[in-house]
């Protein structure tokens, strides 16, 4: 081949490989972008007066006098709206039956939506469900509800060759000429004063319990559950992992048994996480009866198995990277091998071991499949420490799945889902960052 | 105390010093061999290391001098496939005997390595390390022992204000003296030095050599070196090893002026090695 | 006290005691280290123990050849062929995404990027590896699936442009280069350019036609094999990149220098010398990456559509599928109420298949990596 074409090939290889790197980095950005931007909205958002009323009544938080004043102002702003509703109710009675039947249904929808937007209408009894006692606490959700009040969704099937198309029809048309017609522009123009949105930093999203299955409140039970599960897994896995690493790196003579051990470790690392979950169910719960049914303990034990190989490998690597000279020095001073390991080897390898431990902590915190059958429930209160022995818990990864797929109002609590994902991702990223910092410090120390 | 048979030094050398002046400590090899698998690194070496004297082991690299040195405190135990032949005696006991206590052996025979290898701990903890191993955490006397050891190693004045600093912050020469202090702290009788200055600059080397001179008479010192001037400067006796065989052994002054063996002379004049 | 402490020879009792202590401490360490061996054995035993009753009751044929999956039906049917095909399909998709991308990225990291850039890219790989699978699944379900459903056609055509345009141009240049090799030297450049331009024009026209077709593809559901394949591919990337990069690095500088010294370009050194030397490591990397894709649960459970049907035609990536892992995760919630039933045992049977696949894949990659280490070790 000519030199020119050889060079061309060379350059295209460079191009292709750099493109791969760019694509990889891009996919990370595309992945994290929405998680960060929409997850942040769980913490930082425009909260309505309903939010402040909710916080006062449910968590006893906020300045009660100011909130009372705000409630009065809001009620005043809503007054004309409620007036229109009452006037239309009266008007409805006098209509001819056909039109009445037609409009009553539509009116009911409007009233339901208004209730969703602003909370219970005047004169209504307190509802049982918390979500019916309050209007929209978030301005972004309020805007969505407003859209649904202003426009009704209809499906257009006129073209049989295509799928049905969604068409938005202004509700105002249906009520043209009635007393309700001015409600729609009025609502649109005055919604701000009816809800008084204000920027709020809701950091207590992390520390509040959830109310009415995540319609309100925060994700504390999930965070605590994840914490318990991770801690338990680490407590079980670290001793086993580090001791196994010590044995493999210091005491094991090369032989069949040891290579069998190594094969087992890598096999364990390759077992799919869902199989760990099944095993945890079949072994820890149905055979050992660690607990009657799902519990944090059983989940931790399962997670511990999952991260054991990671810890062993990291610890062995760290132990092996300790300079041989340290070991010799300790032995030459009359330390027995065990003393040498405890007094010199382990302290010197500690940062490296720590790096591995932290990374596997992130892994344990984020794993879902192993805890589905062993530890996780969708709804639960924060556990006390001793309850972890026999109680299941909600946990971040499981509840992300659960809220995103099985919740009764998946679309209405997207912000909670994103907030949970962001929390989990941040947790894992911070753990990894810590590992990176420790590793950098080790390599600086080794060089210096 | 000293077994007379071992005092018979074969090869051409006569006993360098008739009187070992010996207290209890004494190291002697009797047809000692060391094998790495099938490879015999030390071949039937028989020699005495007299007490309270400095003995240098010289020879080209790969001649088995380090192996011999490391056999004395059984640091070669770690090598897979390593085994010994003949006898190596310390204080009247076979070092490779079945009931020998390696921990005590190594406590009584200190060692200093090629490259300074202080632990990544504080200066104080480095020196105290061995002592803590043997005494447990007896705090009160520890302070004195650390100070005495550092003084004996000539390092006290340089580090007395920064005992809590990391030992790795010291210079190479200081680190090596720290390692010597660390070895001295457990109160050994024999000090093995495996090319202790090979990683140091000339000034630090001179400092260590001075230190060896100061320690002479208090400890039995066995030093491996491939620097012949160093052997001439610091040692009383010199053993020349070549390919695992002991070629010549005698008083240093005599070896360097009138070697009896042709190969010794060739090595010393730089014809090989 | 002093003499006692300095006694070189231990008494018989002390010596025996010390040997005993050494034996027991070493034994203890070994026992703890054997925990992973015990764990592996227990996992195999317990999964198999609950899987065997299923095979005893229903035999092998139904599970592996049947396509009707109605475990809760009356009578229940356990034809898992569609599920195996689903697993296979998403894994194939993940391979198509991850293997070319991963190997190219590994080459860039080991041989092409300058040191500083390399250090900057490493955290990207680490973060991709560290992100919890449920976060990937959430992304696939909540962001990617609606996108695919609403703009599937345009996304596909964009992807086609992105992938085929550079590759096609490259091929066009190569073809024109080869085709004009035997032409007279004075007209060759002109002919080459002419040919290349024609080919490029044809390529662009072809792509435009293709993208027009793709644009009209209606994606009936965003949760399908295509979605999952891409996400799984991204998840498998870090494994493939890091293992492949390690083995490319392990090929050593001597090999590279030797090849450069003979006047080879970087591409030639890579393809003729380094990749052959590191080849088995790259294969192991691919196996490990594939394992990650097969074993992954959350992403497929959330975003594959979970329809136990064989796609029509079998390579239709836009149809919803159901995988082994998702079946276990999804069905166990109902099946553990009827512990001991066929519904319970069939899930263990599926898990056993999964376990065996991962077990053998792991052994294979381990064996390959070890062989490579030995060979490269001998080379040095």
């Amino acid at each position: 081949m000519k030199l020119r074409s050889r060079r061309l090939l060379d350059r295209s290889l460079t191009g292709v490989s750099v493109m791969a790197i760019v694509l990889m980095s891009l996919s990370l950005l595309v992945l994290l972008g929405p998680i960060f931007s929409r997850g942040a909205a769980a913490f930082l958002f425009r909260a309505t007066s309903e939010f402040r009323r909710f916080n006062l009544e449910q968590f006893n938080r906020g300045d009660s006098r100011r909130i009372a004043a705000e409630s009065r102002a809001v009620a005043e702003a809503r007054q004309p709206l409620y007036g229109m509703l009452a006037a239309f109710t009266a008007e409805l009675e006098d209509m001819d039956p056909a039109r009445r039947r037609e409009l009553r249904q539509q009116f009911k929808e409007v009233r339901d939506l208004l209730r969703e937007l602003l909370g219970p209408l005047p004169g209504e009894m307190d509802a049982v469900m918390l979500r019916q006692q309050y209007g929209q606490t978030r301005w972004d959700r309020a805007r969505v509800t407003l859209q649904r009040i202003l426009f009704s969704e209809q499906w257009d099937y006129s073209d049989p060759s295509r799928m049905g198309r969604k068409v938005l029809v202004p509700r105002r048309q249906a009520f043209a000429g009635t007393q309700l017609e001015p409600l729609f522009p009025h609502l649109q123009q005055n919604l701000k004063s009816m809800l008084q949105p204000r920027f709020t930093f809701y950091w207590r999203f992390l520390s509040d319990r959830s109310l009415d299955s995540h319609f309100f409140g925060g994700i504390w039970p999930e965070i605590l559950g994840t914490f318990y599960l991770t801690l338990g897994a680490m407590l079980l896995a670290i001793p086993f992992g580090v001791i196994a690493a010590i044995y493999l790196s210091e005491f094991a003579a090369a032989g069949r048994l040891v290579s069998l051990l190594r094969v087992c470790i890598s096999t364990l690392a390759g077992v799919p996480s869902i199989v760990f979950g099944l095993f945890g169910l079949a072994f820890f719960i149905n055979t050992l009866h660690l607990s009657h049914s799902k519990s944090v303990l059983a989940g931790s034990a399962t997670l511990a198995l999952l991260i054991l190989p990671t810890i062993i490998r990291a610890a062995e690597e760290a132990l092996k990277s300790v300079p041989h000279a340290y070991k010799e020095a300790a032995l030459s001073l009359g330390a027995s091998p065990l003393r040498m390991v405890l007094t010199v080897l382990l302290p010197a390898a500690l940062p490296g071991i720590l790096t591995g431990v932290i990374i596997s902590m992130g892994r344990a915190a984020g794993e879902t499949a192993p805890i589905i059958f062993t530890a996780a429930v969708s709804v639960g209160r924060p556990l006390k420490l001793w309850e972890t022995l026999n109680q299941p818990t909600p946990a971040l990864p499981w509840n992300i799945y659960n809220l995103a797929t099985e919740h009764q109002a998946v679309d209405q609590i997207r912000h909670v889902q994103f907030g949970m994902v962001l929390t989990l991702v941040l947790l894992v990223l911070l753990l990894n960052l810590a590992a990176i910092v420790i590793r950098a410090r080790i390599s600086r120390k080794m060089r210096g | 105390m000293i077994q007379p048979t071992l005092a018979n030094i074969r090869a051409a050398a006569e006993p360098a010093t008739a009187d070992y002046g010996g207290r209890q400590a004494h190291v002697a090899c009797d047809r000692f061999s060391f094998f790495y698998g099938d490879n015999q690194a030390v071949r039937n070496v028989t020699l005495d290391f007299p007490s309270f004297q400095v003995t240098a082991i010289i020879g080209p690299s790969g001649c088995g001098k380090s192996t011999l040195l490391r056999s004395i405190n059984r640091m070669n135990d770690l090598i897979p496939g390593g085994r010994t032949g003949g006898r190596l005696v310390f204080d009247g006991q076979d070092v490779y005997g079945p009931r020998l206590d390696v921990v005590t052996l190594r406590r009584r025979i200190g060692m200093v390595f090629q490259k300074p290898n202080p632990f990544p701990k504080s200066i104080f903890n480095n020196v105290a390390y061995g002592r803590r191993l043997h005494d447990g955490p007896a705090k009160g006397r520890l302070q004195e022992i650390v100070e005495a050891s550092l003084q004996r190693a000539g390092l006290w004045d340089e580090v007395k204000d920064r005992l809590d600093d990391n030992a790795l912050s010291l210079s190479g020469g200081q680190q090596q003296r720290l390692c010597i202090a660390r070895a001295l702290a457990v109160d050994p009788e024999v000090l093995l030095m495996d090319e202790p200055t090979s990683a140091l600059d000339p000034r630090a080397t001179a400092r260590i050599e001075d230190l060896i001179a100061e320690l002479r008479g208090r400890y039995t010192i066995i030093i491996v070196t491939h620097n012949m001037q160093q052997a001439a400067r610091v040692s009383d006796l010199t053993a020349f090893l070549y390919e695992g065989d002991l070629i010549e052994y005698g008083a240093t002054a005599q070896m360097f002026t009138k070697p009896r063996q042709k190969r010794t002379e060739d090595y010393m004049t730089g014809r090989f090695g | 006290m002093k003499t006692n402490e300095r006694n070189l020879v231990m008494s018989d009792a002390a010596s025996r005691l010390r040997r005993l202590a050494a034996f027991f401490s070493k034994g203890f360490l070994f026992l703890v280290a054997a925990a992973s061996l015990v764990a592996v054995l227990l996992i195999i035993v317990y999964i198999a123990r609950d899987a065997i009753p299923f095979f005893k009751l229903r035999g092998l044929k139904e599970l592996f050849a049947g396509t009707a999956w109605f475990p809760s039906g009356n009578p229940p049917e356990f034809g898992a062929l569609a599920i195996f095909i689903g697993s296979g399909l998403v894994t194939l998709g993940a391979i198509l995404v991850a293997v070319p991308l991963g190997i190219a990225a590994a080459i860039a990291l080991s041989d092409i990027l300058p040191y500083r850039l390399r250090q900057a890219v490493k955290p990207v790989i680490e973060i991709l590896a560290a992100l919890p699978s449920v976060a990937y699944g959430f992304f696939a379900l909540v962001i990617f699936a609606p996108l695919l459903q609403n703009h599937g056609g345009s996304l596909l055509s964009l992807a086609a442009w992105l992938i085929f345009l550079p590759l096609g141009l490259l091929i066009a240049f190569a073809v024109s280069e080869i085709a004009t090799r035997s032409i007279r030297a004075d007209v060759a450049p002109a002919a080459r350019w002419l040919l290349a331009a024609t080919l490029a024009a044809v390529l662009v026209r072809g792509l435009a036609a293709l993208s027009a077709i793709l644009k009209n593809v209606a994606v009936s559901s965003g949760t399908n094999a295509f979605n999952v394949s891409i996400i799984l591919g991204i998840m498998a990337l870090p494994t493939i990149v890091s293992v492949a990069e390690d083995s490319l690095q392990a090929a050593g500088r001597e090999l590279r220098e030797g090849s450069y010294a003979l006047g080879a370009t970087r591409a030639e050194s890579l393809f003729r010398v380094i990749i052959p030397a590191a080849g088995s490591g790259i294969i192991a990397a691919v196996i490990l990456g594939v394992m990650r894709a097969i074993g992954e649960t959350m992403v497929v459970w959330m975003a594959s559509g979970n329809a136990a049907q064989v796609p029509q035609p079998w390579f239709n990536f836009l149809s919803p599928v159901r995988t082994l892992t998702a079946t276990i995760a999804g069905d166990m919630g109902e099946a553990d109420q009827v512990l001991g039933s066929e519904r319970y045992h069939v899930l263990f049977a599926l898990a056993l298949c999964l376990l065996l696949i991962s077990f053998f894949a792991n052994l294979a990659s381990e064996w390959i990596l070890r062989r490579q280490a030995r060979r490269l070790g001998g080379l040095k």
Side-chain angles (χ1 to χ4, degrees):
Chain A
M1 244 195 285
K2 294 214 181 68
L3 187 62
R4 230 176 52 88
S5 42
R6 287 173 57 194
R7 229 180 253 151
L8 182 78
L9 259 177
D10 190 43
R11 244 175 253 153
S12 39
L13 173 82
T14 309
V16 166
S17 64
V18 169
M19 209 170 87
I21 294 280
V22 170
L23 263 178
M24 192 170 70
S25 315
L26 258 183
S27 58
L28 180 67
L29 275 184
V30 168
L31 218 77
L32 289 184
I35 290 179
F36 272 83
S37 62
R38 292 184 63 180
F43 298 89
L44 193 66
F45 57 93
R46 294 170 84 176
T48 63
S49 56
E50 295 296 301
F51 178 79
R52 293 181 281 278
R53 185 164 72 89
F54 173 85
N55 264 332
L56 181 71
E57 290 174 9
Q58 300 297 327
F59 289 117
N60 201 15
R61 236 177 247 154
D63 182 346
S64 57
R65 258 184 311 168
R66 270 180 54 194
I67 292 174
E70 188 185 63
S71 290
R72 274 195 301 280
V74 165
E76 204 172 300
R78 292 174 185 183
Q79 205 48 55
L81 188 85
Y82 293 145
M84 285 179 220
L85 285 181
F88 181 73
T89 315
E91 190 186 3
L92 202 59
E93 293 302 312
D94 298 338
M95 280 182 197
D96 67 284
R99 184 147 163 77
R100 182 166 54 188
R101 219 172 302 127
E102 181 199 328
L103 282 186
R104 179 172 282 161
Q105 184 53 37
Q106 293 238 23
F107 183 50
K108 187 176 178 303
E109 271 178 41
V110 171
R111 279 172 60 99
D112 285 347
L113 284 167
L114 275 176
R115 201 177 293 125
E116 202 180 308
L117 180 66
L118 302 173
L121 302 178
E124 282 183 339
M125 294 223 292
D126 263 2
V128 185
M129 298 246 266
L130 214 48
R131 76 189 75 152
Q132 290 164 342
Q133 294 171 23
Y134 298 92
Q136 293 297 342
T137 54
R138 298 167 59 95
W139 182 241
D140 53 346
R141 295 295 323 162
R143 295 285 296 273
V144 172
T145 317
L146 175 67
Q147 282 301 307
R148 285 170 58 212
I149 294 176
L150 295 180
F151 301 95
S152 67
E153 268 179 23
Q154 282 169 14
W155 289 86
D156 174 15
Y157 294 107
S158 56
D159 182 357
S161 67
R162 301 193 58 133
M163 284 196 292
R165 271 189 315 131
K166 198 159 74 174
V167 196
L168 293 177
V169 182
R171 280 185 208 272
R172 199 177 159 182
Q173 287 172 5
F175 293 99
T178 67
Q179 302 237 34
L180 203 63
E181 193 190 356
L183 178 134
F184 298 100
H186 178 81
L187 185 65
Q188 195 170 11
Q189 280 154 24
N190 298 308
L191 188 61
K192 259 196 179 157
S193 57
M194 292 182 206
L195 284 172
Q196 309 231 346
R198 218 181 293 152
F199 266 110
T200 306
F201 179 44
Y202 181 41
W203 62 269
R204 286 185 195 254
F205 181 69
L206 294 176
S207 64
D208 274 348
R209 64 183 199 276
S210 100
L211 287 169
D212 197 4
S213 56
H214 285 291
F215 268 93
F216 307 100
I219 55 172
W220 175 241
E222 284 80 12
I223 292 180
L224 190 70
T226 295
F227 173 75
Y228 281 143
L229 282 167
T230 313
L231 189 75
M234 298 324 283
L235 284 181
L236 291 169
I238 290 175
F240 277 95
V242 173
I243 290 177
I246 290 174
Y247 177 78
L248 286 174
S249 75
E250 294 304 311
F251 294 94
R256 281 251 168 98
L257 203 59
V258 173
S259 52
L260 179 69
L261 260 185
R262 287 187 192 283
V263 168
C264 281
I265 291 167
S266 72
T267 305
L268 202 58
V271 171
S273 53
I274 188 75
V275 176
F276 276 106
L278 271 195
F279 170 73
L281 171 69
F283 184 67
F284 292 125
I285 295 177
N286 290 345
T287 306
L288 286 189
H289 299 291
L290 277 187
S291 52
H292 177 63
S293 65
K294 293 177 184 178
S295 71
V296 175
L297 180 63
S300 292
T302 312
L303 285 174
L305 280 184
L306 181 100
I307 53 173
L308 187 62
T310 323
I311 293 190
I312 294 179
R313 283 181 182 163
E316 200 187 342
E317 194 93 340
L319 287 168
K320 278 194 171 150
S321 69
V322 173
H324 199 65
Y326 293 167
K327 297 185 219 168
E328 282 196 327
L331 292 176
S332 81
L333 289 166
S336 65
L338 208 58
R339 289 290 284 274
M340 180 272 287
V341 167
L342 291 178
T343 54
V344 174
L345 201 55
L346 270 185
L350 198 63
I353 296 177
L354 213 59
T355 320
V357 163
I358 290 175
I359 285 177
S360 37
M361 237 165 115
R363 174 115 198 260
E367 273 293 345
T368 320
I371 60 171
I372 300 174
F373 320 126
T374 55
V377 286
S378 358
V379 184
R381 60 193 170 77
L383 296 186
K384 305 268 189 308
L385 189 59
W386 63 86
E387 289 172 330
T388 56
L389 292 179
N390 54 16
Q391 299 270 322
T393 179
L396 281 174
W398 166 254
N399 283 58
I400 290 168
Y401 166 79
N402 188 60
L403 291 189
T405 57
E406 290 172 1
H407 194 270
Q408 64 249 48
V410 168
D411 282 324
Q412 290 178 41
I413 53 159
R414 282 277 182 246
H415 56 280
V416 182
Q417 299 160 15
F418 272 101
M420 273 190 192
V421 176
L422 178 66
T423 309
L424 184 63
V425 165
L426 273 184
L427 181 80
V428 170
L429 288 188
L430 284 180
L431 285 173
N432 274 270
L433 191 71
I436 289 173
V437 168
I438 293 175
R439 203 179 317 146
R441 283 183 57 177
I442 301 173
S443 67
R444 210 179 314 138
K445 207 160 115 193
M446 290 289 177
R447 235 180 290 143
Chain B
M1 189 143 299
I2 299 154
Q3 286 165 19
T5 48
L6 290 176
N8 301 331
I9 294 166
R10 287 194 311 168
E14 284 171 25
T17 41
D19 172 22
Y20 299 128
R23 256 187 351 190
Q24 64 277 61
H26 177 74
V27 182
C29 305
D30 177 19
R31 292 190 297 279
F32 180 76
S33 300
F34 191 89
F35 303 84
Y36 295 108
D38 296 331
N39 175 27
Q40 190 172 4
V42 176
R43 300 161 182 267
N44 286 322
V45 168
T46 301
L47 81 142
D48 272 17
F49 296 101
S51 300
F52 307 116
Q53 306 253 323
V54 180
T55 307
I57 306 177
I58 61 171
S61 44
C63 71
K65 53 190 193 300
S66 274
T67 308
L68 177 61
L69 189 80
R70 295 165 65 92
S71 298
I72 296 172
N73 67 345
R74 286 183 54 172
M75 287 305 283
N76 286 340
D77 284 12
L78 299 175
I79 296 164
R83 66 196 164 83
T84 61
R87 264 161 56 97
L88 206 159
V89 172
F90 169 62
D91 193 14
Q93 298 296 337
D94 186 350
V95 166
Y96 288 87
R99 286 192 291 135
L100 184 111
D101 183 358
V102 183
V103 169
T104 312
L105 175 80
R106 289 188 187 148
R107 183 182 172 182
R108 292 176 59 182
I109 303 179
M111 186 161 195
V112 178
F113 296 84
Q114 258 186 38
K115 266 178 53 194
N117 57 353
F119 301 124
K121 301 170 186 275
S122 72
I123 294 172
F124 182 90
N125 282 336
N126 258 285
V127 182
Y129 176 81
R131 206 67 219 184
R132 284 209 181 105
L133 280 180
H134 301 296
D135 302 349
K139 256 292 191 245
R141 258 170 42 97
L142 208 55
Q143 198 78 38
E144 294 165 33
I145 291 169
V146 168
E147 181 178 344
S149 310
L150 281 169
Q151 248 160 8
R152 201 167 282 185
L155 195 61
W156 175 251
D157 292 332
E158 292 159 61
V159 301
K160 65 182 174 213
D161 300 324
R162 41 192 278 226
L163 289 176
D164 291 328
D165 284 11
N166 194 315
L168 296 177
S169 65
L170 296 173
S171 73
Q174 286 174 323
Q175 286 187 14
Q176 193 61 303
R177 276 181 283 145
L178 179 70
C179 291
I180 295 176
R182 181 175 67 184
L184 296 181
V186 292
D187 197 15
E189 296 144 47
V190 178
L191 210 52
L192 307 177
M193 295 184 159
D194 190 358
E195 303 192 23
T197 61
S198 64
L200 302 182
D201 61 56
R203 185 179 294 177
T205 301
R207 196 80 185 72
I208 300 277
E209 287 177 6
D210 291 347
L211 180 58
I212 294 172
E214 282 164 35
L215 297 174
R216 184 174 169 270
R218 246 187 273 188
Y219 302 93
T220 304
I221 297 177
I222 304 171
I223 176 171
V224 162
T225 176
H226 58 218
N227 177 342
M228 262 160 315
Q229 284 71 36
Q230 184 169 65
R233 281 194 299 266
V234 301
S235 69
D236 304 304
L237 294 134
T238 300
F240 173 54
L241 252 65
Y242 182 65
E243 290 187 346
D245 288 312
L246 178 66
I247 305 298
E248 188 169 345
Y249 180 39
T252 301
Q254 175 249 319
M255 276 255 292
F256 278 80
T257 48
K258 279 188 286 182
R260 283 180 217 153
Q261 298 285 319
K262 176 83 168 64
R263 262 182 299 185
T264 315
E265 192 181 338
D266 287 350
Y267 177 64
M268 299 215 175
T269 50
R271 247 169 257 173
F272 67 90
Chain C
M1 177 196 142
K2 187 120 184 160
T3 50
N4 191 20
E5 243 176 42
R6 297 197 154 244
N7 217 342
L8 274 176
V9 178
M10 294 179 283
S11 67
D12 271 343
S15 143
R16 219 173 297 137
L17 195 70
R18 181 165 297 185
R19 250 179 314 187
L20 215 63
F23 176 78
F24 275 112
S25 59
K26 208 171 156 177
F28 168 75
L29 288 177
F30 173 75
L31 282 183
V32 175
S36 28
L37 187 141
V38 174
V40 168
L41 288 182
L42 280 178
I43 288 176
I44 294 173
V45 166
Y46 272 84
I47 298 294
R49 205 188 65 165
D50 275 336
I52 287 169
F54 175 81
F55 293 117
K56 265 191 191 149
L57 281 170
R58 317 276 307 202
L60 292 170
K61 191 168 166 249
E62 185 190 1
L63 190 70
F64 295 114
T67 53
W69 177 260
F70 299 111
S72 58
N74 193 16
E77 292 181 79
F78 299 104
L81 185 63
I83 295 171
F84 283 102
I85 290 178
S87 264
L89 191 67
V90 297
T91 308
L92 177 72
I95 291 173
L96 289 180
V97 173
V99 169
L101 211 57
I103 291 178
I107 289 175
L109 278 178
S110 79
D111 278 87
I112 291 178
L113 291 187
Y115 179 80
R116 298 186 66 130
L117 250 173
R118 224 177 284 177
Q119 296 310 102
V121 175
K122 285 256 164 86
V124 172
I125 299 172
E126 273 167 21
I127 293 173
L128 278 176
L131 283 181
S133 56
V134 74
Y136 281 101
F138 185 75
F139 177 87
L141 175 68
V142 176
I143 292 161
F144 196 36
L147 201 68
L148 212 55
Q149 195 157 344
N150 300 332
H151 311 281
S154 357
L155 265 181
L156 283 177
S157 70
L158 183 73
W161 278 104
L162 269 179
I163 296 167
F164 292 121
L165 190 65
L167 284 183
L169 283 180
L170 205 67
I171 292 170
F173 277 112
V175 165
S176 57
E177 188 77 42
I178 293 163
T180 54
R181 211 187 286 171
S182 52
I183 295 178
R184 256 176 38 215
D186 51 336
V187 292
R192 193 156 43 220
W193 280 115
L194 202 67
L195 189 57
T198 327
L199 283 174
V202 169
L203 175 79
V204 170
R205 278 305 302 272
L207 270 176
L210 179 68
S211 82
I213 295 170
L214 285 176
K215 242 182 202 144
N216 282 327
V217 169
V219 181
S220 57
S221 162
T223 52
N224 55 30
F226 180 75
N227 179 337
V228 171
S229 294
I230 289 187
I231 302 290
L232 284 184
I234 295 173
M235 288 179 79
L237 259 185
T239 316
I240 295 183
V241 174
S242 54
V243 178
E245 195 221 334
D246 276 351
S247 43
L248 285 173
Q249 293 274 9
R253 220 178 56 195
E254 293 88 344
L255 220 54
R256 291 177 167 79
E257 284 172 351
S259 177
Y260 290 145
L262 292 172
T265 63
R266 194 152 60 180
E268 286 159 351
S269 310
L270 268 164
F271 283 113
R272 302 235 168 115
V273 181
I274 296 159
I275 292 180
S280 49
I282 294 176
I283 293 171
V286 170
I287 294 177
L288 288 175
V290 169
M291 282 316 304
R292 179 129 199 232
I294 293 182
E296 173 50 39
T297 308
M298 295 318 289
V299 172
V300 289
W301 193 17
M302 291 169 92
S304 70
N306 286 331
Q309 60 184 30
V310 181
Q312 293 298 335
W314 66 268
F315 53 82
N316 182 3
F317 274 101
L318 291 177
S319 69
V321 294
R322 186 184 187 121
T323 68
L324 290 171
T325 50
T327 305
I328 298 172
D331 286 8
M332 190 46 117
E334 298 148 37
D336 69 351
Q337 330 234 313
V338 276
L339 195 138
S341 70
E342 286 176 354
R343 286 181 67 189
Y344 179 82
H345 291 308
V346 73
L347 298 181
F348 279 85
L350 295 182
L352 187 65
C353 299
L354 210 52
L355 189 61
L356 289 178
I357 295 170
S358 73
F359 184 64
F360 285 113
N362 219 319
L363 278 187
S365 71
E366 189 85 346
W367 182 71
I368 291 171
L369 280 179
R370 222 173 261 187
R371 208 185 50 169
Q372 189 201 19
R374 219 178 309 139
R375 216 185 44 198
L376 286 177
L379 206 125
K380 268 173 195 163

